[in-house]
């Protein structure tokens, strides 16, 4: 995972979240709704974040944007109160750092990498999927009207959360969904798979995604990607796209150039090109949801 997955950009000036944190089966969950809900019908949207998690102001504002477009948005704490450690460093990195500064910076980079690796080891599908299943079971009942209006649950995922939108959009064995076995581990003979938990999905610059995650998807899927992204490799994306094409699955893949991994997550950038791409990515994902 990169810095954009674990560190928020500056929050857009003058914006404050409009939703609230509540609990579903003891899982902190940010809920935000259209201003006229429940007097007007809405659809239910599951939003899965990057490493900054449910308490990030930027993630909450991102959820609010979808709510303003007619979705009851459910954003669960998939990390169980253990959001990713920040990747920022206090070591100055000027144009000509001294040898000592270079060593310090190198040591800080190694330490950050180790810390993130340890954090990722605590948040595997075996840990995350049961959290998501508990929340989904609860919100399907709490917002049954929105589920019915949309004929199912929609989902968007950014960075870390993108992988789990793919998993929720696939048929999983019961023990995988329950966190008793890793998705890639061999299943017991005769074990039956359960259908996907979502109706439609959209992901942006995913991390920890293998081609098997894209190959397993069985619901319409939109993919926002970054060219030459070291965290979502081009060949993985291309092989996944071929797999979706081969089984006739509705999909859309758009590759954005000249932007960093994490660009689609709400936050201020000085570069106008990135700002525009962020708007385009949101529009792409929103149009995909509304079209399905």
């Amino acid at each position: 995972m990169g810095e954009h997955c674990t560190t928020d950009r500056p929050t857009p000036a003058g914006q404050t979240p409009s939703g609230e944190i509540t609990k579903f089966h003891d899982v902190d969950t940010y809920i935000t709704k259209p201003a006229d809900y429940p007097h007007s019908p809405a659809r239910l949207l599951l939003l899965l974040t990057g490493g900054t998690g449910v308490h990030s102001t930027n993630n909450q504002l991102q959820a609010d944007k979808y709510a303003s477009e007619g979705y009851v948005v459910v954003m669960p704490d998939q990390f169980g109160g253990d959001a990713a450690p920040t990747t920022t460093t206090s070591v100055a990195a000027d144009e000509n750092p001294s040898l000592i500064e270079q060593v310090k910076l190198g040591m800080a980079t190694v330490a950050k990498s180790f810390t993130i690796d340890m954090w990722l080891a605590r948040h595997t599908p075996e840990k995350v999927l049961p959290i998501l299943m508990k929340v989904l079971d609860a919100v399907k009942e709490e917002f049954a009207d929105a589920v019915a209006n949309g004929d199912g649950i929609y989902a968007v995922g950014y960075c870390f959360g993108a992988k789990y939108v793919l998993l929720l959009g696939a048929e999983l064995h019961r023990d995988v969904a329950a966190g008793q076995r890793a998705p890639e581990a061999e299943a017991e003979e005769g074990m039956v798979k359960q259908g996907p938990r979502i109706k439609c999905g959209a992901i942006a610059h995913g991390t920890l995604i293998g081609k098997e995650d894209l190959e397993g998807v069985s619901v319409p899927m939109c993919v926002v990607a970054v060219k030459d992204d070291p965290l979502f490799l081009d060949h993985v994306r291309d092989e996944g796209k071929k797999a979706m094409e081969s089984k006739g699955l509705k999909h859309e893949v758009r590759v954005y150039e000249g932007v960093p991994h994490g660009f689609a997550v709400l936050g201020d950038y000085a570069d106008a090109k990135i700002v525009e791409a962020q708007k385009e990515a949101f529009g792409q994902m929103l149009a995909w949801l509304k079209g399905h």
Side-chain angles (χ1 to χ4, degrees), residues 25-36:
H25 290 303
D26 291 326
V27 178
D28 279 354
T29 305
Y30 182 76
I31 302 291
T32 180
K33 309 166 187 175
D36 53 359

Side-chain angles (χ1 to χ4, degrees), residues 10-127:
T11 299
Q15 296 189 30
T16 56
S18 59
E20 61 180 4
I21 298 282
T22 186
K23 286 187 182 291
F24 287 103
H25 290 303
D26 291 326
V27 178
D28 279 354
T29 305
Y30 182 76
I31 302 291
T32 180
K33 309 166 187 175
D36 53 359
Y37 177 83
H39 304 294
S40 296
R43 298 179 181 182
L44 187 64
L45 175 68
L46 176 72
L47 193 158
L48 301 181
T49 72
T52 50
V54 68
H55 295 284
S56 156
T57 298
N58 285 357
N59 289 338
Q60 293 178 1
L61 290 172
Q62 187 107 53
D64 291 347
K65 288 185 66 175
Y66 285 105
S68 70
E69 295 290 343
Y71 294 89
V72 173
V73 184
V74 175
M75 187 170 72
D77 179 9
Q78 58 204 356
F79 308 122
D82 180 31
T86 178
T87 62
T88 56
T89 175
S90 60
V91 178
D94 56 31
E95 293 183 0
N96 298 294
S98 69
L99 179 59
I100 293 177
E101 288 173 332
Q102 291 180 51
V103 170
K104 286 181 179 179
L105 187 59
M107 292 174 64
T109 300
V110 171
K112 287 186 293 183
S113 178
F114 177 76
T115 301
I116 293 297
D117 286 346
M118 293 294 290
W119 178 80
L120 288 172
R122 298 195 297 271
H123 300 291
T124 62
E126 297 96 307
K127 297 290 182 63

Side-chain angles (χ1 to χ4, degrees), residues 263-274:
F263 80 96
V265 177
L266 189 78
D268 272 345
Y269 284 92
D271 188 332
K273 180 178 180 180
I274 299 176

Side-chain angles (χ1 to χ4, degrees), residues 223-235:
V223 178
V224 169
V226 174
K227 184 175 177 59
D228 299 325
D229 186 347
L231 301 177
F232 186 16
L233 300 176
D234 290 358
H235 76 87

Side-chain angles (χ1 to χ4, degrees), residues 228-292:
D228 299 325
D229 186 347
L231 301 177
F232 186 16
L233 300 176
D234 290 358
H235 76 87
V236 171
R237 180 193 69 237
D238 292 342
E239 289 179 21
K241 181 180 178 182
K242 289 178 182 178
M244 290 188 285
E245 289 173 346
S246 68
K247 57 185 179 183
L249 183 71
K250 291 182 180 179
H251 66 282
E252 177 180 286
V253 178
R254 179 175 173 185
V255 180
Y256 291 74
E257 297 188 38
V259 295
H261 178 96
F263 80 96
V265 177
L266 189 78
D268 272 345
Y269 284 92
D271 188 332
K273 180 178 180 180
I274 299 176
V275 173
E276 184 59 31
Q278 187 180 101
K279 293 177 182 177
E280 290 180 13
F282 177 77
Q284 177 190 346
M285 297 169 76
L286 181 64
W288 181 260
L289 297 175
K290 289 189 172 183
H292 294 83

